[in-house]
Amino acid sequence: DRNTLTPADHIVENNHIENNETKKLTYSPGLEFTGVGIKVSNNEFHDAKHLLVQWGGNNHVFEYNELYDACLDTDDMGAIYSGRNLTHRGNELRYNYFHDIGSKEARGVEGCHAIYFDDFWSAAKVYGNICDKITGSNILLSGSYNEVYNNIFMNGQGEAIMSSRIFNPTS
């Protein structure tokens, strides 16, 4: 219940989710969730022409997942995507492994990102993630009070790009 922030306590764990876009080629994630208090851990997501995970809501934990071969036929998207609501707060993305995001052949102006917080997604913590071979920014943020720290960026073209206020507790 988002009005009272009562958690659902749902758990999505130890799944292998692949090739989810068989009929609709965009915005057909392998996992989509919203609400309050959902934990997504130890899953493998891969092989998507567009995004792998789309989410919204409050106080979710997304951890120990592997996401790869995403955004293969698109531009300006993320393997995990969220946005357009300032009230979706208190979420954590931690200890995930993102690799091989975006296609050099399909790459447009923006490239594709490992984590994409679009249009005012705020007050999330992003730490301990590994981003390897990302065509766009490893982490692209919009909104305010997002905390981004202790992530590893390898073999990509960018680090983290923040389009608004960032808070880093280690600085």
Side-chain angles (χ1 to χ4, degrees):
D1 182 353
R2 289 201 58 234
N3 291 326
T4 63
L5 295 180
T6 303
D9 293 326
H10 294 313
I11 298 172
V12 179
E13 188 173 62
N14 298 320
N15 296 286
H16 183 170
I17 300 170
E18 64 178 312
N19 198 18
N20 46 285
E21 298 141 329
T22 57
K23 295 183 181 180
K24 183 180 170 196
L25 300 181
T26 59
Y27 295 99
S28 297
L31 176 64
E32 183 171 2
F33 62 98
T34 189
V36 180
I38 297 172
K39 181 179 178 183
V40 178
S41 64
N42 297 301
N43 299 288
E44 181 179 354
F45 301 92
H46 63 94
D47 290 315
K49 293 174 181 13
H50 202 227
L51 71 159
L52 290 166
V53 177
Q54 185 170 0
W55 63 318
N58 302 82
N59 305 331
H60 302 306
V61 175
F62 192 86
E63 64 183 1
Y64 302 109
N65 298 289
E66 181 179 9
L67 297 90
Y68 60 96
D69 291 339
C71 307
L72 298 176
D73 289 341
T74 191
D75 184 51
D76 190 25
M77 180 44 66
I80 183 168
Y81 177 84
S82 53
R84 297 187 172 88
N85 194 320
L86 279 169
T87 67
H88 293 180
R89 304 169 75 84
N91 298 294
E92 291 190 29
L93 280 89
R94 59 190 185 204
Y95 313 122
N96 299 289
Y97 179 36
F98 298 88
H99 61 96
D100 301 294
I101 306 300
S103 168
K104 291 185 180 183
E105 292 81 29
R107 184 164 181 242
V109 175
E110 297 292 327
C112 291
H113 322 291
I115 301 167
Y116 193 170
F117 293 169
D118 200 4
D119 296 334
F120 309 112
W121 184 268
S122 297
K125 292 182 182 180
V126 181
Y127 60 92
N129 298 288
I130 298 172
C131 298
D132 186 16
K133 293 180 238 146
I134 312 299
T135 63
S137 302
N138 292 293
I139 303 169
L140 185 62
L141 303 176
S142 173
S144 57
Y145 301 103
N146 290 301
E147 299 178 30
V148 178
Y149 54 95
N150 296 334
N151 296 285
I152 298 171
F153 306 136
M154 308 180 309
N155 302 311
Q157 75 173 40
E159 289 191 8
I161 295 177
M162 284 51 104
S163 63
S164 58
R165 185 173 176 178
I166 179 83
F167 171 73
N168 185 337
T170 60
S171 61

